Amino acid sequence: MTDDSSLQQRWSAALLAVRGEGGGPDPAPYAVNLVERWAEPQRKYHTVEHLTAVLDRIDTLAAHAEDADLVRLAAWFHDAVYLPERSENEERSARLAERALSEAGLGPDATAEVARLVRLTVTHDPVEGDRNGEALCDADLAILAAEPEAYAAYAAAVREEYAFVPDEAFRDGRAAVLRQLLDLPRLFRTPHGAAEWEERARRNLAVELELLTA
C-alpha cells in the first residue's frame, strides 16, 4: 500500500519548487483531490501505485530532464482523469492540469508545459531533444521492463480495466498495441532507459504478444 501522506508531501515539494512558497494557496487540498482521483474504483492498473512508480522513475531520470519538478507535476496529472471506455482521458487530464495549476499559483508558462507533457502521453513519442518529454514518457513506460511476474500482474490489471471488452476483441486490440510498440525503433529515449529497460521491455512485450496470439 502507498502512504498517502508521503505521496502528498511529494506533490507539495514539486509544486512549491516550481511556484515558490508564497505564490498561491495551500498545496494540500490539491494533493488530496488528485490522490482520490487515482484511487477511483474503475482503476486496476492506473492506480495510486502506478502514480508512485512513475514518480520514483522520474527521480531516477531527474538529471536528464530540463525541469524535473515540472515533469513530476505532469506525472500527477497524466492519468488524473481515467475512464477505460473513453478515448480522451489524456486531453481531459491536460485540461484539468491547466485549471488546477493556474488556480494553485503556477505561471502560464509552467502550466502550459505540464499540460503539454500530459498530452504527450497519448503517443509517448517526444521529439528529439525534448528532455522533459523523454523523462516523463520513459518513466510511464518503465513498467514494460518489469520482472516477468510483475509484468504479468501489469498485463492482468490492464485486462481487468477493460473487462467490458469481449475476449476476442481485447486480444486483437492488445496485440495491435504490442506490435505497434515493438515496431518502434526504440521504446526509451533517455540514456538510462535505453541501457536499463529497453531489452527487457522488448522481451516482455514479445512474450505477451505470443501468449495473446497462440
Side-chain angles (χ1 to χ4, degrees):
M1 294 295 291
T2 301
D3 180 353
D4 285 357
S5 63
S6 173
L7 197 55
Q8 291 169 23
Q9 289 170 9
R10 296 174 79 168
W11 158 265
S12 295
L15 180 64
L16 294 176
V18 176
R19 187 193 78 185
E21 292 285 345
D26 182 0
Y30 296 92
V32 170
N33 177 268
L34 285 164
V35 170
E36 288 175 349
R37 288 176 175 273
W38 283 92
E40 291 165 342
Q42 76 275 13
R43 297 168 181 261
K44 307 303 177 184
Y45 168 65
H46 294 88
T47 61
V48 171
E49 287 72 26
H50 170 61
L51 170 61
T52 302
V54 173
L55 291 170
D56 288 346
R57 297 293 80 77
I58 292 170
D59 288 348
T60 299
L61 302 172
H64 182 82
E66 288 186 9
D67 191 324
D69 287 305
L70 286 177
V71 180
R72 292 181 178 103
L73 292 177
W76 274 91
F77 282 100
H78 81 284
D79 280 313
V81 178
Y82 187 75
L83 293 171
E85 68 275 15
R86 303 286 287 271
S87 61
E88 69 278 13
N89 291 310
E90 292 86 358
E91 178 59 29
R92 294 174 68 206
S93 295
R95 291 177 184 175
L96 175 66
E98 289 167 340
R99 295 193 304 271
L101 291 173
S102 296
E103 181 183 289
L106 253 65
D109 290 346
T111 297
E113 174 65 355
V114 172
R116 181 189 75 81
L117 291 169
V118 172
R119 292 185 172 103
L120 188 58
T121 62
V122 174
T123 62
H124 292 95
D125 188 21
V127 300
E128 191 75 32
D130 178 5
R131 295 171 71 94
N132 285 344
E134 290 170 346
L136 178 62
C137 290
D138 277 19
D140 195 26
L141 292 181
I143 183 60
L144 301 180
E147 293 298 328
E149 184 175 346
Y151 184 89
Y154 147 73
V158 171
R159 179 65 184 106
E160 194 174 354
E161 281 189 342
Y162 288 89
F164 58 91
V165 179
D167 285 343
E168 184 175 355
F170 178 82
R171 283 195 300 270
D172 290 346
R174 180 67 177 171
V177 169
L178 298 175
R179 291 190 184 99
Q180 183 179 32
L181 289 169
L182 286 166
D183 284 345
L184 292 173
R186 48 188 179 147
L187 294 165
F188 298 100
R189 310 300 180 88
T190 65
H192 181 91
E196 300 296 330
W197 299 335
E198 183 83 21
E199 182 179 350
R200 189 163 62 232
R202 288 188 175 277
R203 189 162 59 245
N204 285 335
L205 292 168
V207 168
E208 185 186 357
L209 181 59
E210 183 178 355
L211 290 172
L212 282 171
T213 57

